[in-house]
Amino acid sequence: MNKFNYTAISDDCVKCGKCKPVCTIFNINQDEATSPRGFIDLLGAYERDELELDQNAKDIFESCFLCTNCVEVCPNDLPTDMIIEQVRSDIAKKYGIAWYKRLFFFLLRHRKTMDMMSRMGWMFQTCALKLDKKKQSGLPRFSLPIVKKDRVLPFADMRSFLNKYPEKIFAKHKKVEENKKNKVAIFIGCMSNYTYTNTGDSLVKILKKLELDIMIPKKQLCCGAPAYFTGAFDTVDYLVKNNIEYFETWIDEVDAVIIPEATCSAMINQDWEHYLHDQPEWKERAAKISKKIFMATKWLDNNTDLKQLLANSKKTIDTTVTYHDPCHAKKMQGVWEEPRNLLKQNYVLTEMSDSNRCCGFGGVTMQTEKYEFSKAAGAPKAAMIRDTKAQVVSAECSACRMQITNSLHQADVDVQFKNPIELIAEALD
């Protein structure tokens, strides 16, 4: 097994401890081994063959939420999240991957099969779930080994976003701007494609209002984030390289690829290159693509007159909104002002006490085998949202949406979650 160079990063850690107070898992269990500097020390020992990758080490390395709080505060900018992602590949090779994860990753690789399964899920989901269409969540009617009865989950929509629209949608009254193609592509992300489809519908509505040509690339696959955070690098390799080859056939035709998902955009913008660190040719191709990848609110705020359009409408919506900053948005991509700039044109915006605190989603393993950690991390976020007295909590991330919706349910807090793209589209109506 070829090990990543963990020792170099371990040697650069000065043990200052700034990472500990902000670490999501350390705040739950107060164990030095699962603090960022603990992870780094153990990984250095693992590379030097001083630590066996046994079940205890596996549990430690799988307890990280990959929230990047430690990276944000580290004086040496140590990539703790990246080295955790790397060791999870070693874990997957040694221990294998649970059958339900392998099935999920198979579906991510095969879009048509996923479409069929989603359609079947839509037809039969009411047998297993009590649906709350307002909150776009479902409460299980009975407990299963992985899914407990008291936990709310997203549910499948009748038709996926990618199957709902044509590949090209042309503006009726196209604005011609010099040196611009006036055409954007949408990368939708799996959860907005199959469950939270109103996010994509709302984005199409906004782009039409801005009189932009829209391209919806039909052969796009999952960005690879769920598999990457789990260590299933064979699936990551397949998804990343197939997407790169497909993107290269059309990306020069558009001004930007906009994504209403923090995790997907961060994966394509940064983690594709992290994954391809030892494949220079593919890394260069990924870097070229990343120049055109943007979170939706960032591109809309900086490259269109949407903010002015919202302000000119003089429409005031009597709904108080609080905004949660997804880890993959503010910390990884520096996106936090843009959604607020757009929302505050028409909504009352109130800040929670710590909008930057991780909501506790943490990836597939955290949501299944280590759900109790995820549940514990979500409780403080639900309390913060409750204290704002807001009617809506918003974040540009479907993973946060799934986690926060469940955390609010657990805390009996009656607040609805909406993507900022949905709220903006409502303001334009």
Side-chain angles (χ1 to χ4, degrees), residues 365-425:
T365 299
M366 198 66 72
Q367 289 293 313
T368 53
E369 298 159 27
K370 299 186 182 298
Y371 169 64
E372 289 306 312
F373 284 159
S374 183
K375 187 176 177 180
K381 180 62 67 169
M384 291 176 198
I385 294 167
R386 179 200 61 213
D387 291 347
T388 65
K389 304 291 193 295
Q391 290 88 46
V392 173
V393 57
S394 186
E396 203 167 354
C397 178
S398 289
C400 294
R401 183 180 203 146
M402 175 180 164
Q403 168 69 4
I404 290 176
T405 299
N406 181 53
S407 297
L408 293 170
H409 170 76
Q410 300 296 328
D412 195 25
V413 177
D414 186 21
V415 175
Q416 188 177 0
F417 191 115
K418 289 190 178 184
N419 190 297
I421 295 297
E422 294 176 272
L423 293 170
I424 292 163

Side-chain angles (χ1 to χ4, degrees), residues 187-372:
F187 185 92
I188 192 60
C190 297
M191 292 184 75
S192 284
N193 186 40
Y194 292 109
T195 60
Y196 305 124
T197 56
N198 190 50
T199 301
D201 296 339
S202 299
L203 184 55
V204 169
K205 185 186 294 184
I206 293 167
L207 295 174
K208 282 182 176 180
K209 186 74 77 170
L210 293 169
E211 299 177 6
L212 293 168
D213 287 343
I214 306 166
M215 180 184 181
I216 302 175
K218 295 293 184 169
K219 294 180 182 179
Q220 60 181 270
L221 295 174
C222 171
C223 66
Y228 185 53
F229 303 150
T230 308
F233 279 16
D234 55 340
T235 296
V236 180
D237 202 73
Y238 178 90
L239 294 172
V240 169
K241 290 178 179 176
N242 274 272
N243 271 321
I244 288 173
E245 288 176 340
Y246 179 47
F247 278 39
E248 288 173 339
T249 63
W250 52 261
I251 200 162
D252 290 337
E253 301 172 20
V254 300
D255 292 315
V257 182
I258 58 176
I259 308 176
E261 299 284 357
T263 300
C264 299
S265 54
M267 182 69 190
I268 299 173
N269 259 330
Q270 297 185 24
D271 286 328
W272 280 10
E273 292 180 62
H274 290 169
Y275 169 71
L276 298 166
H277 66 92
D278 57 353
Q279 302 179 61
E281 181 187 342
W282 282 103
K283 182 179 178 181
E284 184 179 345
R285 291 167 73 176
K288 182 179 178 183
I289 287 170
S290 73
K291 294 175 183 176
K292 284 196 173 183
I293 305 295
F294 298 90
M295 280 184 65
T297 54
K298 179 176 182 177
W299 192 84
L300 291 168
D301 188 41
N302 295 331
N303 296 276
T304 74
D305 58 359
L306 178 58
K307 183 167 64 177
Q308 196 60 45
L309 196 65
L310 291 166
N312 290 345
S313 73
K314 301 188 186 303
K315 184 176 182 180
T316 302
I317 300 174
D318 189 24
T319 298
T320 302
V321 177
T322 189
Y323 198 83
H324 161 72
D325 287 300
C327 297
H328 289 97
K330 185 175 182 180
K331 290 185 277 287
M332 286 190 71
Q333 300 181 84
V335 178
W336 59 281
E337 291 180 307
E338 294 88 347
R340 289 172 169 83
N341 288 342
L342 296 170
L343 288 173
K344 68 185 181 183
Q345 303 305 320
N346 307 94
Y347 294 90
V348 177
L349 202 58
T350 182
E351 294 291 345
M352 64 183 81
S353 57
D354 186 1
S355 62
N356 200 41
R357 182 175 180 132
C358 175
C359 70
F361 180 80
V364 179
T365 299
M366 198 66 72
Q367 289 293 313
T368 53
E369 298 159 27
K370 299 186 182 298
Y371 169 64
E372 289 306 312

Side-chain angles (χ1 to χ4, degrees), residues 85-248:
E85 290 153 356
Q86 292 293 327
V87 79
R88 287 183 180 178
S89 174
D90 293 354
I91 291 170
K93 289 173 185 174
K94 181 171 181 177
Y95 291 94
I97 294 174
W99 66 268
Y100 53 88
K101 295 180 190 175
R102 293 200 308 272
L103 174 60
F104 177 48
F105 299 151
F106 172 84
L107 293 174
L108 295 183
R109 292 168 69 155
H110 298 88
R111 176 72 72 188
K112 288 184 180 178
T113 308
M114 184 74 148
D115 287 347
M116 181 183 69
M117 293 294 288
S118 177
R119 180 74 175 176
M120 288 178 63
W122 174 78
M123 291 172 65
F124 298 108
Q125 61 194 358
T126 52
C127 298
L129 298 172
K130 299 176 185 176
L131 305 187
D132 183 341
K133 293 189 177 180
K134 179 182 177 183
K135 294 184 178 178
Q136 291 186 280
S137 63
L139 186 65
R141 296 181 185 274
F142 44 83
S143 290
L144 294 171
I146 302 169
V147 180
K148 301 305 178 186
K149 190 176 179 180
D150 69 338
R151 177 183 182 182
V152 296
L153 299 165
F155 58 83
D157 206 342
M158 180 176 69
R159 197 175 181 191
S160 74
F161 172 79
L162 289 175
N163 288 328
K164 195 182 296 186
Y165 295 93
E167 186 165 67
K168 295 183 179 180
I169 304 172
F170 296 101
K172 290 182 179 178
H173 307 288
K174 186 175 179 180
K175 295 178 181 178
V176 179
E177 296 183 42
E178 191 177 352
N179 299 322
K180 287 193 176 183
K181 300 175 179 66
N182 300 290
K183 182 179 182 181
V184 295
I186 296 174
F187 185 92
I188 192 60
C190 297
M191 292 184 75
S192 284
N193 186 40
Y194 292 109
T195 60
Y196 305 124
T197 56
N198 190 50
T199 301
D201 296 339
S202 299
L203 184 55
V204 169
K205 185 186 294 184
I206 293 167
L207 295 174
K208 282 182 176 180
K209 186 74 77 170
L210 293 169
E211 299 177 6
L212 293 168
D213 287 343
I214 306 166
M215 180 184 181
I216 302 175
K218 295 293 184 169
K219 294 180 182 179
Q220 60 181 270
L221 295 174
C222 171
C223 66
Y228 185 53
F229 303 150
T230 308
F233 279 16
D234 55 340
T235 296
V236 180
D237 202 73
Y238 178 90
L239 294 172
V240 169
K241 290 178 179 176
N242 274 272
N243 271 321
I244 288 173
E245 288 176 340
Y246 179 47
F247 278 39
E248 288 173 339

